[in-house]
């Protein structure tokens, strides 16, 4: 596809339920990021992949959050035993292979809006 | 670590008014700076960027200049339109953090006809 896609676009979960959020990056993009955007706030970094390797997961708020990208393309963010504070928009972004110098542009998907009741 | 402080909103303007949204940053190294825009019901889109000091990014009539001496990257547009109504995010990346973006809290701009 032309851009980053995410599914589902909306998810309502009961507290304690497990959820899985999917991200399809732009074809050929090596790097993939997950961000969490709380209502009225800017996105906050969660985790970063280069191909299938998860190089940084320092932003994951707890061990209930888990992300994977087993074949270096599609990624899944899983949240176990969801809590109300997990309610947010989860954004995925992908980047072309790094070139020399400068910060490459991250292309964002539309996000998944998660509401935990 | 890296951080961004962005002018709080909401901002309400009339069509053809001048818009400025202030953004200052704290970073180590030599980050790149970005403005992203989020239109109602849509995802984040890159509006403009600058990769080094004194660079000016521009797009759709918007401009921002990377000012290292004042650690700022203020967004400006000379004459806004109703279609510019959106949430604007200042962000930085690179420097000591080579990949992740750090975002400001966002500024909601509403332009009235």
């Amino acid at each position: 596809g032309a851009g980053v896609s995410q599914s589902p676009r909306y998810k309502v979960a009961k507290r304690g339920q497990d959820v899985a959020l999917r991200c399809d990056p732009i074809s050929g993009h090596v790097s993939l990021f997950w961000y969490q955007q709380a209502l009225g706030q800017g996105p906050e970094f969660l985790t970063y992949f280069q191909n299938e390797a998860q190089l940084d997961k320092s932003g994951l708020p707890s061990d209930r959050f888990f992300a994977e990208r087993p074949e270096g393309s599609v990624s899944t963010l899983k949240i176990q035993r969801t809590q109300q504070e997990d309610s947010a928009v989860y954004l995925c972004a992908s980047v072309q292979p790094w070139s020399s110098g400068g910060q490459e542009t991250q292309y964002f998907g539309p996000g998944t809006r998660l509401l935990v009741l | 670590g890296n951080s961004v402080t962005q002018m709080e909103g909401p901002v309400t303007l009339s069509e053809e008014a001048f818009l400025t949204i202030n953004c200052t940053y704290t970073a180590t190294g030599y980050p790149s700076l970005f403005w992203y825009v989020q239109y109602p019901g849509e995802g984040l889109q890159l509006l403009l960027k600058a990769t080094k000091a004194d660079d000016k990014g521009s797009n759709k009539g918007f401009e921002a200049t990377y000012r290292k001496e004042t650690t700022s990257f203020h967004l400006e547009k000379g004459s806004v339109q109703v279609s510019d109504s959106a949430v604007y995010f200042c962000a930085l990346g690179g420097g000591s953090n080579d990949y992740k973006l750090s975002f400001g809290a966002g500024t909601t701009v509403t332009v009235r006809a």
Side-chain angles (χ1 to χ4, degrees):
Chain A
V4 179
S5 60
Q6 293 185 245
S7 61
R9 292 292 308 275
Y10 303 92
K11 177 69 179 177
V12 179
K14 292 182 180 178
R15 190 161 57 95
Q17 186 178 352
D18 296 350
V19 298
L21 312 179
R22 177 187 169 105
C23 171
D24 283 82
I26 294 171
S27 178
H29 279 196
V30 169
S31 298
L32 185 147
F33 300 79
W34 284 98
Y35 293 84
Q36 180 191 57
Q37 186 178 13
L39 188 64
Q41 300 297 315
E44 296 275 349
F45 171 79
L46 293 177
T47 187
Y48 159 63
F49 291 85
Q50 190 165 329
N51 296 304
E52 68 278 4
Q54 189 175 20
L55 299 186
D56 187 343
K57 53 182 181 179
S58 63
L60 295 177
S62 77
D63 59 8
R64 296 184 296 103
F65 286 71
F66 172 76
E68 60 183 5
R69 193 185 185 200
E71 298 179 356
S73 178
V74 170
S75 178
T76 304
L77 177 66
K78 297 179 179 178
I79 309 173
Q80 298 176 322
R81 305 181 303 282
T82 52
Q83 303 295 314
Q84 287 185 320
E85 62 263 27
D86 300 335
S87 296
V89 176
Y90 291 85
L91 298 170
C92 176
S94 70
V95 183
Q96 290 178 313
W98 300 115
S99 61
S100 59
Q103 174 76 16
E104 301 300 330
T105 299
Q106 296 189 20
Y107 295 89
F108 283 82
T112 294
R113 185 175 297 275
L114 172 66
L115 176 62
V116 181
L117 301 176
Chain B
N2 292 351
S3 68
V4 174
T5 302
Q6 189 174 339
M7 182 174 105
E8 290 186 16
V11 174
T12 303
L13 301 165
S14 297
E15 223 170 9
E16 299 183 5
F18 182 85
L19 170 68
T20 183
I21 304 175
N22 289 342
C23 172
T24 57
Y25 68 90
T26 302
T28 55
Y30 303 95
S32 295
L33 298 171
F34 305 82
W35 278 99
Y36 278 84
V37 60
Q38 191 168 37
Y39 297 105
E42 299 184 16
L44 278 171
Q45 301 175 24
L46 178 68
L47 181 59
L48 52 84
K49 71 176 184 180
T51 57
K52 60 183 187 296
D54 299 325
D55 268 3
K56 178 187 285 188
S58 60
N59 186 28
K60 299 182 180 180
F62 289 89
E63 291 184 341
T65 301
Y66 188 157
R67 301 284 189 201
K68 193 161 187 259
E69 64 276 13
T70 55
T71 61
S72 66
F73 193 55
H74 304 321
L75 182 68
E76 296 180 337
K77 185 172 184 180
S79 177
V80 293
Q81 305 300 313
V82 172
S83 57
D84 293 325
S85 298
V87 183
Y88 293 83
F89 293 92
C90 184
L92 71 85
S96 62
N97 292 334
D98 291 334
Y99 42 84
K100 65 183 75 170
L101 290 176
S102 298
F103 285 86
T107 302
T108 300
V109 173
T110 302
V111 181
R112 296 181 301 192

Coordinates of all heavy atoms in Angstrom, one line a residue, chain B residues 3-83:
Chain B
S3 N 13.9 17.0 24.9 CA 12.5 17.4 25.2 C 12.1 18.6 24.4 O 12.9 19.3 23.9 CB 12.4 17.7 26.7 OG 13.1 18.9 27.0
V4 N 10.8 18.7 24.2 CA 10.2 19.8 23.4 C 9.1 20.5 24.3 O 8.3 19.9 24.9 CB 9.6 19.3 22.1 CG1 8.9 20.3 21.4 CG2 10.6 18.6 21.3
T5 N 9.2 21.8 24.2 CA 8.1 22.6 24.9 C 7.4 23.5 23.8 O 8.1 24.2 23.1 CB 8.8 23.6 26.0 OG1 9.5 22.8 26.9 CG2 7.7 24.4 26.7
Q6 N 6.2 23.3 23.8 CA 5.4 23.9 22.7 C 4.3 24.8 23.3 O 3.8 24.6 24.4 CB 4.7 22.8 22.0 CG 4.0 23.1 20.7 CD 3.5 21.9 20.0 OE1 3.9 20.8 20.2 NE2 2.5 22.1 19.2
M7 N 4.0 25.9 22.6 CA 3.0 26.9 23.0 C 1.7 26.2 23.3 O 1.3 25.3 22.5 CB 2.8 27.9 21.9 CG 1.9 29.0 22.3 SD 1.9 30.2 20.9 CE 0.4 29.9 20.1
E8 N 1.1 26.5 24.4 CA -0.2 25.9 24.7 C -1.3 26.5 23.9 O -1.3 27.7 23.6 CB -0.5 26.0 26.2 CG 0.4 25.2 27.1 CD 0.0 25.2 28.5 OE1 -1.1 25.7 28.8 OE2 0.8 24.9 29.4
G9 N -2.3 25.7 23.6 CA -3.5 26.3 22.9 C -4.7 26.3 23.8 O -4.5 26.2 25.0
P10 N -5.8 26.3 23.3 CA -6.1 26.3 21.9 C -5.9 27.8 21.3 O -5.9 28.7 22.1 CB -7.5 25.9 21.7 CG -8.2 26.3 23.0 CD -7.1 26.1 24.1
V11 N -5.6 27.8 20.0 CA -5.5 29.1 19.3 C -6.7 29.2 18.4 O -6.9 28.3 17.6 CB -4.2 29.2 18.6 CG1 -4.1 30.4 17.8 CG2 -3.0 29.0 19.5
T12 N -7.3 30.3 18.4 CA -8.4 30.6 17.5 C -8.1 31.9 16.7 O -7.8 32.9 17.3 CB -9.8 30.8 18.2 OG1 -10.0 29.6 19.0 CG2 -10.9 31.0 17.3
L13 N -8.2 31.8 15.4 CA -7.9 32.9 14.5 C -9.0 33.1 13.5 O -9.7 32.2 13.2 CB -6.6 32.6 13.8 CG -5.3 32.3 14.5 CD1 -4.3 31.6 13.6 CD2 -4.8 33.5 15.1
S14 N -9.0 34.3 12.9 CA -9.8 34.5 11.7 C -9.0 34.2 10.5 O -7.8 34.3 10.5 CB -10.3 36.0 11.7 OG -11.1 36.2 12.8
E15 N -9.7 33.9 9.4 CA -9.1 33.6 8.1 C -8.2 34.8 7.7 O -8.6 36.0 8.0 CB -10.2 33.4 7.1 CG -9.9 32.3 6.1 CD -11.0 31.9 5.2 OE1 -12.0 32.6 5.2 OE2 -10.9 30.8 4.6
E16 N -7.1 34.5 7.1 CA -6.1 35.5 6.7 C -5.3 36.1 7.8 O -4.4 37.0 7.5 CB -6.7 36.6 5.8 CG -7.4 36.0 4.6 CD -8.0 37.1 3.7 OE1 -7.8 38.3 4.0 OE2 -8.7 36.8 2.7
A17 N -5.5 35.7 9.0 CA -4.6 36.2 10.1 C -3.3 35.5 10.1 O -3.1 34.5 9.4 CB -5.3 35.9 11.4
F18 N -2.3 36.1 10.8 CA -1.0 35.5 10.9 C -0.9 34.5 12.1 O -1.5 34.8 13.2 CB 0.0 36.7 11.2 CG 1.4 36.2 11.3 CD1 2.2 36.1 10.2 CD2 2.0 36.0 12.5 CE1 3.5 35.7 10.2 CE2 3.3 35.6 12.6 CZ 4.1 35.4 11.5
L19 N -0.3 33.4 11.8 CA -0.2 32.4 12.9 C 1.3 32.2 13.2 O 2.1 32.1 12.4 CB -0.8 31.0 12.3 CG -0.5 29.8 13.2 CD1 -1.3 29.9 14.5 CD2 -0.9 28.5 12.4
T20 N 1.5 32.1 14.5 CA 2.8 31.6 15.0 C 2.6 30.7 16.2 O 1.8 31.0 17.1 CB 3.7 32.8 15.4 OG1 5.0 32.3 15.8 CG2 3.1 33.6 16.5
I21 N 3.3 29.6 16.2 CA 3.3 28.7 17.3 C 4.7 28.5 17.8 O 5.6 28.1 17.0 CB 2.7 27.3 16.9 CG1 1.3 27.4 16.3 CG2 2.6 26.3 18.1 CD1 0.7 26.1 15.7
N22 N 4.9 28.8 19.0 CA 6.3 28.7 19.5 C 6.7 27.3 19.9 O 5.9 26.6 20.5 CB 6.4 29.6 20.8 CG 6.4 31.1 20.4 OD1 6.6 31.5 19.3 ND2 6.1 31.9 21.4
C23 N 7.9 27.0 19.7 CA 8.5 25.7 20.0 C 9.9 25.9 20.5 O 10.7 26.5 19.7 CB 8.4 24.7 18.9 SG 9.3 23.1 19.2
T24 N 10.3 25.4 21.6 CA 11.7 25.4 22.1 C 12.0 24.0 22.4 O 11.2 23.2 22.8 CB 11.9 26.3 23.2 OG1 11.1 26.0 24.3 CG2 11.6 27.8 22.9
Y25 N 13.3 23.7 22.4 CA 13.8 22.3 22.7 C 15.0 22.3 23.5 O 15.7 23.2 23.7 CB 14.0 21.6 21.3 CG 15.2 22.2 20.6 CD1 16.5 21.6 20.8 CD2 15.1 23.2 19.7 CE1 17.6 22.2 20.1 CE2 16.2 23.7 19.0 CZ 17.4 23.2 19.2 OH 18.5 23.7 18.6
T26 N 15.2 21.1 24.1 CA 16.4 20.8 24.8 C 16.9 19.5 24.2 O 16.2 18.5 24.1 CB 16.1 20.6 26.3 OG1 15.6 21.8 26.9 CG2 17.4 20.2 27.1
A27 N 18.2 19.5 23.9 CA 18.7 18.3 23.2 C 20.3 18.3 23.4 O 20.9 19.3 23.5 CB 18.4 18.2 21.8
T28 N 20.8 17.1 23.3 CA 22.3 16.9 23.2 C 22.6 16.5 21.8 O 21.7 15.9 21.1 CB 22.8 15.9 24.2 OG1 22.1 14.7 24.0 CG2 22.6 16.3 25.6
G29 N 23.7 16.9 21.3 CA 24.1 16.5 20.0 C 23.4 17.5 19.0 O 23.2 18.7 19.3
Y30 N 23.2 17.0 17.8 CA 22.6 17.8 16.7 C 21.4 17.2 16.1 O 21.4 16.5 15.1 CB 23.7 17.9 15.6 CG 25.0 18.5 16.1 CD1 26.0 17.6 16.6 CD2 25.2 19.8 16.3 CE1 27.2 18.1 17.1 CE2 26.4 20.4 16.8 CZ 27.4 19.5 17.2 OH 28.5 20.0 17.7
P31 N 20.2 17.5 16.8 CA 19.0 16.9 16.4 C 18.4 17.5 15.1 O 18.8 18.6 14.7 CB 18.1 17.1 17.6 CG 18.5 18.4 18.1 CD 20.1 18.3 18.0
S32 N 17.5 16.8 14.5 CA 16.7 17.4 13.5 C 15.4 17.8 14.1 O 14.9 17.3 15.1 CB 16.4 16.4 12.3 OG 17.6 16.1 11.6
L33 N 14.7 18.8 13.5 CA 13.5 19.3 14.1 C 12.3 19.2 13.0 O 12.6 19.3 11.8 CB 13.7 20.8 14.5 CG 14.7 21.0 15.5 CD1 15.0 22.5 15.7 CD2 14.2 20.4 16.9
F34 N 11.1 19.0 13.6 CA 10.0 18.7 12.7 C 8.8 19.4 13.2 O 8.6 19.6 14.4 CB 9.7 17.2 12.7 CG 10.8 16.3 12.4 CD1 11.8 15.9 13.3 CD2 10.9 15.7 11.1 CE1 12.8 15.0 13.0 CE2 12.0 14.9 10.7 CZ 12.9 14.6 11.7
W35 N 7.9 19.7 12.3 CA 6.5 20.0 12.6 C 5.6 19.0 11.9 O 5.7 18.8 10.7 CB 6.1 21.4 12.2 CG 6.5 22.5 13.1 CD1 7.6 23.3 13.0 CD2 5.9 22.9 14.3 NE1 7.7 24.1 14.1 CE2 6.6 23.9 14.9 CE3 4.7 22.5 15.0 CZ2 6.3 24.5 16.1 CZ3 4.3 23.1 16.1 CH2 5.1 24.1 16.7
Y36 N 4.8 18.3 12.7 CA 3.8 17.4 12.2 C 2.4 18.1 12.4 O 2.2 18.8 13.4 CB 3.8 16.1 13.0 CG 4.9 15.1 12.5 CD1 6.2 15.2 13.0 CD2 4.6 14.1 11.6 CE1 7.2 14.3 12.5 CE2 5.5 13.2 11.1 CZ 6.8 13.3 11.6 OH 7.8 12.4 11.1
V37 N 1.5 17.7 11.6 CA 0.1 18.2 11.7 C -0.9 17.0 11.7 O -0.7 16.0 11.0 CB -0.2 19.2 10.5 CG1 -0.1 18.5 9.2 CG2 -1.6 19.8 10.7
Q38 N -1.9 17.2 12.5 CA -3.0 16.2 12.6 C -4.3 16.8 12.3 O -4.8 17.6 13.1 CB -2.9 15.6 14.0 CG -3.8 14.3 14.1 CD -3.4 13.6 15.5 OE1 -3.2 14.3 16.5 NE2 -3.4 12.3 15.5
Y39 N -4.8 16.6 11.1 CA -6.1 17.2 10.7 C -7.2 16.3 11.4 O -7.0 15.2 11.7 CB -6.3 17.2 9.2 CG -5.3 18.1 8.5 CD1 -4.2 17.6 7.8 CD2 -5.4 19.5 8.6 CE1 -3.3 18.4 7.2 CE2 -4.5 20.3 8.0 CZ -3.5 19.7 7.3 OH -2.5 20.6 6.7
P40 N -8.4 16.9 11.6 CA -9.5 16.2 12.3 C -9.7 14.8 11.6 O -9.9 14.7 10.4 CB -10.7 17.1 12.1 CG -10.1 18.5 12.0 CD -8.8 18.3 11.3
G41 N -9.7 13.8 12.4 CA -10.0 12.4 11.9 C -8.9 11.8 11.1 O -9.1 10.7 10.6
E42 N -7.7 12.4 11.1 CA -6.6 11.8 10.3 C -5.4 11.6 11.1 O -5.3 12.0 12.3 CB -6.3 12.8 9.1 CG -7.4 13.0 8.2 CD -7.0 13.9 7.0 OE1 -5.8 14.1 6.7 OE2 -7.9 14.4 6.3
G43 N -4.4 10.9 10.5 CA -3.2 10.6 11.3 C -2.2 11.7 11.2 O -2.4 12.7 10.5
L44 N -1.1 11.6 11.9 CA 0.0 12.6 11.8 C 0.6 12.6 10.5 O 1.0 11.6 9.9 CB 1.1 12.2 12.8 CG 0.9 12.5 14.3 CD1 1.9 11.9 15.1 CD2 0.9 14.0 14.5
Q45 N 0.8 13.9 10.0 CA 1.5 14.0 8.7 C 2.7 15.0 8.9 O 2.5 16.0 9.6 CB 0.6 14.7 7.7 CG -0.7 13.9 7.4 CD -1.6 14.7 6.4 OE1 -1.2 15.5 5.7 NE2 -2.9 14.4 6.5
L46 N 3.8 14.7 8.2 CA 4.9 15.6 8.3 C 4.5 16.9 7.6 O 4.1 16.9 6.4 CB 6.1 15.0 7.7 CG 7.4 15.9 7.6 CD1 7.9 16.2 9.1 CD2 8.4 15.3 6.8
L47 N 4.7 18.1 8.2 CA 4.5 19.3 7.6 C 5.7 19.9 7.0 O 5.8 20.3 5.9 CB 3.8 20.3 8.6 CG 3.5 21.7 8.1 CD1 2.5 21.7 7.0 CD2 2.9 22.6 9.3
L48 N 6.8 20.0 7.9 CA 8.1 20.4 7.4 C 9.2 20.0 8.4 O 8.9 19.6 9.5 CB 8.1 22.0 7.3 CG 7.7 22.8 8.4 CD1 8.8 23.0 9.4 CD2 7.1 24.2 8.0
K49 N 10.4 20.1 7.9 CA 11.5 19.7 8.8 C 12.8 20.5 8.5 O 12.9 21.1 7.4 CB 11.8 18.2 8.7 CG 12.4 17.8 7.3 CD 12.8 16.3 7.4 CE 13.5 15.9 6.1 NZ 13.8 14.4 6.1
A50 N 13.7 20.5 9.4 CA 15.0 21.1 9.2 C 16.0 20.3 9.9 O 15.8 19.8 11.0 CB 15.0 22.5 9.8
T51 N 17.1 20.0 9.3 CA 18.1 19.0 9.8 C 19.3 19.7 10.4 O 20.1 19.0 11.1 CB 18.5 18.1 8.7 OG1 19.1 18.8 7.6 CG2 17.3 17.3 8.2
K52 N 19.5 21.0 10.2 CA 20.7 21.6 10.9 C 20.4 23.1 11.1 O 19.5 23.6 10.6 CB 21.9 21.4 10.0 CG 21.9 22.0 8.6 CD 23.2 21.7 7.9 CE 23.2 22.5 6.6 NZ 22.2 22.1 5.6
A53 N 21.3 23.6 12.0 CA 21.1 25.0 12.4 C 21.0 25.9 11.2 O 21.7 25.8 10.2 CB 22.2 25.4 13.3
D54 N 20.1 26.9 11.3 CA 19.8 28.0 10.3 C 19.0 27.4 9.1 O 18.7 28.2 8.2 CB 21.1 28.7 9.8 CG 21.8 29.3 11.0 OD1 21.1 29.9 11.9 OD2 23.0 29.3 11.0
D55 N 18.8 26.2 9.0 CA 17.9 25.6 7.9 C 16.5 26.2 8.1 O 16.0 26.3 9.2 CB 17.9 24.1 8.0 CG 18.9 23.5 7.1 OD1 19.7 24.2 6.5 OD2 18.9 22.2 7.0
K56 N 15.8 26.4 7.0 CA 14.4 26.8 7.1 C 13.6 25.7 6.4 O 13.9 25.4 5.2 CB 14.2 28.1 6.4 CG 12.7 28.6 6.3 CD 12.5 29.8 5.5 CE 12.9 31.1 6.3 NZ 12.5 32.3 5.5
G57 N 12.7 25.2 7.1 CA 11.7 24.2 6.5 C 10.5 25.0 6.0 O 10.1 25.9 6.7
S58 N 9.9 24.6 4.9 CA 8.7 25.3 4.4 C 7.8 24.3 3.7 O 8.3 23.4 3.0 CB 9.0 26.5 3.6 OG 9.8 26.1 2.4
N59 N 6.5 24.5 3.8 CA 5.5 23.7 3.1 C 4.2 24.3 3.3 O 3.8 24.8 4.4 CB 5.5 22.3 3.7 CG 4.7 21.3 2.9 OD1 4.4 21.5 1.7 ND2 4.2 20.3 3.5
K60 N 3.4 24.4 2.2 CA 2.0 24.8 2.3 C 1.9 26.2 2.9 O 0.9 26.5 3.5 CB 1.1 23.9 3.1 CG 1.0 22.4 2.5 CD 0.1 21.6 3.3 CE 0.1 20.2 2.8 NZ -0.8 19.3 3.6
G61 N 2.9 27.1 2.7 CA 2.8 28.4 3.2 C 3.3 28.5 4.6 O 3.5 29.6 5.2
F62 N 3.6 27.4 5.3 CA 4.2 27.4 6.6 C 5.7 27.4 6.5 O 6.3 26.9 5.6 CB 3.8 26.1 7.4 CG 2.3 26.1 7.8 CD1 1.4 25.5 6.9 CD2 1.9 26.5 9.0 CE1 0.0 25.5 7.3 CE2 0.6 26.5 9.4 CZ -0.4 26.0 8.5
E63 N 6.3 28.0 7.5 CA 7.8 28.1 7.6 C 8.2 27.9 9.1 O 7.5 28.4 10.0 CB 8.3 29.5 7.1 CG 8.1 29.7 5.6 CD 8.8 31.0 5.2 OE1 9.0 31.9 6.1 OE2 9.0 31.2 4.0
A64 N 9.4 27.4 9.2 CA 10.1 27.4 10.6 C 11.6 27.3 10.3 O 12.0 26.6 9.4 CB 9.6 26.1 11.3
T65 N 12.3 28.1 11.2 CA 13.7 28.2 11.1 C 14.4 27.6 12.3 O 14.0 27.9 13.4 CB 14.2 29.6 10.9 OG1 13.6 30.1 9.7 CG2 15.7 29.7 10.7
Y66 N 15.3 26.7 12.1 CA 16.1 26.0 13.1 C 17.1 27.0 13.7 O 18.1 27.4 13.1 CB 16.8 24.8 12.5 CG 17.5 23.8 13.4 CD1 17.8 22.6 12.9 CD2 18.0 24.2 14.6 CE1 18.4 21.6 13.7 CE2 18.6 23.2 15.4 CZ 18.9 22.0 14.9 OH 19.5 21.0 15.7
R67 N 16.8 27.5 15.0 CA 17.6 28.5 15.6 C 18.4 27.8 16.8 O 17.8 27.6 17.8 CB 16.8 29.6 16.2 CG 16.0 30.4 15.1 CD 16.8 31.3 14.3 NE 16.0 32.1 13.4 CZ 16.4 32.7 12.4 NH1 17.7 32.6 12.0 NH2 15.6 33.5 11.7
K68 N 19.6 27.5 16.6 CA 20.4 26.8 17.6 C 20.7 27.8 18.8 O 20.7 27.4 19.9 CB 21.7 26.3 17.0 CG 22.4 25.3 17.9 CD 23.4 24.5 17.1 CE 24.0 23.5 17.9 NZ 25.4 23.8 18.4
E69 N 20.9 29.1 18.5 CA 21.2 30.0 19.5 C 20.1 30.2 20.5 O 20.4 30.5 21.7 CB 21.7 31.3 19.0 CG 20.7 32.1 18.2 CD 20.5 31.7 16.7 OE1 21.1 30.6 16.4 OE2 19.8 32.4 16.0
T70 N 18.9 30.1 20.1 CA 17.7 30.2 21.0 C 17.0 28.9 21.2 O 16.0 28.9 21.8 CB 16.7 31.2 20.4 OG1 16.3 30.8 19.1 CG2 17.3 32.6 20.4
T71 N 17.6 27.8 20.7 CA 17.0 26.5 20.7 C 15.5 26.5 20.4 O 14.6 26.1 21.2 CB 17.2 25.8 22.1 OG1 16.7 26.5 23.2 CG2 18.7 25.6 22.3
S72 N 15.2 27.1 19.3 CA 13.8 27.3 18.9 C 13.5 26.8 17.5 O 14.4 26.7 16.7 CB 13.4 28.7 19.1 OG 14.1 29.6 18.2
F73 N 12.2 26.6 17.2 CA 11.8 26.1 15.9 C 10.3 26.6 15.8 O 9.4 25.8 15.6 CB 12.0 24.6 15.7 CG 11.8 24.1 14.3 CD1 12.6 24.6 13.3 CD2 10.9 23.1 14.0 CE1 12.5 24.1 12.0 CE2 10.8 22.6 12.7 CZ 11.6 23.1 11.7
H74 N 10.1 27.9 15.8 CA 8.7 28.4 15.8 C 8.1 28.3 14.4 O 8.7 28.5 13.4 CB 8.8 29.9 16.2 CG 9.4 30.2 17.5 ND1 9.3 29.4 18.6 CD2 10.2 31.2 17.8 CE1 10.0 29.9 19.6 NE2 10.6 31.0 19.2
L75 N 6.8 27.9 14.4 CA 6.1 27.7 13.1 C 5.3 29.0 12.8 O 4.7 29.6 13.7 CB 5.1 26.5 13.3 CG 4.3 26.2 12.1 CD1 5.2 25.6 11.0 CD2 3.2 25.2 12.4
E76 N 5.3 29.4 11.6 CA 4.7 30.6 11.2 C 3.9 30.4 9.8 O 4.4 29.7 9.0 CB 5.6 31.8 11.0 CG 6.3 32.2 12.3 CD 7.3 33.4 12.1 OE1 7.7 33.6 11.0 OE2 7.6 34.0 13.1
K77 N 2.8 31.1 9.7 CA 2.1 31.2 8.4 C 1.5 32.6 8.3 O 0.9 33.1 9.3 CB 1.1 30.1 8.3 CG 0.4 30.2 6.9 CD -0.5 29.0 6.6 CE -1.0 29.0 5.1 NZ -1.9 27.9 4.8
G78 N 1.7 33.2 7.2 CA 1.3 34.6 7.0 C -0.2 34.8 6.9 O -0.7 35.9 7.3
S79 N -0.9 33.9 6.3 CA -2.3 34.1 6.1 C -3.0 32.7 6.1 O -2.9 31.9 5.2 CB -2.5 34.7 4.7 OG -3.9 34.9 4.4
V80 N -3.7 32.4 7.3 CA -4.2 31.1 7.5 C -5.6 31.0 6.8 O -6.3 32.0 6.5 CB -4.4 30.8 9.0 CG1 -3.0 30.6 9.6 CG2 -5.2 31.8 9.7
Q81 N -5.9 29.7 6.5 CA -7.2 29.4 5.9 C -8.0 28.5 6.9 O -7.4 27.9 7.7 CB -7.0 28.7 4.6 CG -6.2 29.5 3.6 CD -6.8 30.9 3.3 OE1 -8.0 30.9 3.0 NE2 -6.0 31.9 3.3
V82 N -9.3 28.4 6.6 CA -10.1 27.5 7.5 C -9.5 26.1 7.4 O -9.5 25.3 8.4 CB -11.5 27.5 7.0 CG1 -12.4 26.4 7.7 CG2 -12.2 28.9 7.2
S83 N -9.0 25.7 6.3 CA -8.4 24.3 6.1 C -7.2 24.1 6.9 O -6.7 22.9 7.0 CB -8.1 24.0 4.6 OG -7.3 25.0 4.1

